Amino acid sequence: MGESETSYGGGIVTERGLRTMSRWGFIIMAVWAVFLLTWGFLWPEPYAHGWWLVLELFAVGRTVCAYEGVRLGFSNFYLLVQGGAQDIGIFFLVFPWIVRFYARVSHVGLVDRILGSVTRAAERHRERLRGYGAVGLYLFVFFPVSGTGTLVGCVVGYLLGMPMRQAVPIVIAGHLSCLVFLLAFFDWLEPVLSSVNEGLGQYFAWIFLIILLAGGWLYGKIRQRYGRKEEATDFMENEDVVEASE
């Protein structure tokens, strides 16, 4: 069997499919870069500062990036292209390496650590989404919190055995519709917050992100503690059964 015919995930995707995805990733990122540079050159204010939004999307996710873009006066069209193409392009470039990582094609220590962090995040969500199918995957990607974007979403779909022809359009639709929702919502919210308190309007996205992260941490601690209680209860019940049988 040739390399191009090598399959992964029980035939979910082939090496040829992964190479095609990588090519599309390069094309999308090239068009994205030309778009950002052109807008920054033709309309320096505010588009010459678009690099800041690029870093925000990469580091802290869609919510902060979308709000900051609206607050700084970027057009919704620009923000949709910038945020949509950046996330989808990176997803197309990185996802093939995630699949190969599961097949142990990657043996570079640093690469393993980077890809491993993504796969662990996807594995944590896999059981929660099992049984919900395409709708569950769409809502997972749509929900605007850190760690629920296109890359993790598609890895979750892959781990669930979902065909890539189904998973890829779902995660892209979830991401783009999330951006549309965020931009429309922040278009309304930002002027309201700024009129109430200028500082609140300026730092709202970061405050919101901290609240989400704190809520996620607290939820994880509660689940962990509840899980320990259930394990202790099951252990005691098993002990009682053993004693009764004796």
Side-chain angles (χ1 to χ4, degrees), residues 199-218:
L200 179 62
Q202 183 176 359
Y203 297 108
F204 168 77
W206 297 96
I207 296 171
F208 181 68
L209 179 64
I210 292 172
I211 292 173
L212 283 178
L213 292 176
W217 176 83
L218 181 61

Side-chain angles (χ1 to χ4, degrees), residues 94-108:
V94 177
F95 178 76
W97 289 101
I98 296 288
V99 174
R100 297 181 186 118
F101 171 76
Y102 269 103
R104 303 306 305 164
V105 174
S106 169
H107 297 288
V108 182

Side-chain angles (χ1 to χ4, degrees), residues 67 71 188-204:
Y67 183 83
R71 184 181 68 83
W188 166 80
L189 181 65
E190 195 278 331
V192 174
L193 294 176
S194 296
S195 65
V196 173
N197 184 287
E198 186 176 347
L200 179 62
Q202 183 176 359
Y203 297 108
F204 168 77

Side-chain angles (χ1 to χ4, degrees), residues 101-102 112-125:
F101 171 76
Y102 269 103
D112 273 6
R113 286 194 293 272
I114 295 173
L115 300 182
S117 65
V118 178
T119 57
R120 286 191 295 274
E123 287 167 353
R124 286 196 297 270
H125 298 292

Side-chain angles (χ1 to χ4, degrees), residues 92-168:
F92 276 2
L93 290 175
V94 177
F95 178 76
W97 289 101
I98 296 288
V99 174
R100 297 181 186 118
F101 171 76
Y102 269 103
R104 303 306 305 164
V105 174
S106 169
H107 297 288
V108 182
L110 177 61
V111 174
D112 273 6
R113 286 194 293 272
I114 295 173
L115 300 182
S117 65
V118 178
T119 57
R120 286 191 295 274
E123 287 167 353
R124 286 196 297 270
H125 298 292
R126 173 177 55 184
E127 295 305 318
R128 183 160 56 90
L129 293 177
R130 190 183 298 277
Y132 290 95
V135 175
L137 183 61
Y138 171 84
L139 293 175
F140 172 79
V141 177
F142 175 84
F143 194 63
V145 296
S146 179
T148 60
T150 54
L151 179 57
V152 176
C154 200
V155 175
V156 171
Y158 174 77
L159 294 179
L160 292 175
M162 189 176 294
M164 290 298 99
R165 289 185 178 181
Q166 181 183 9
V168 171

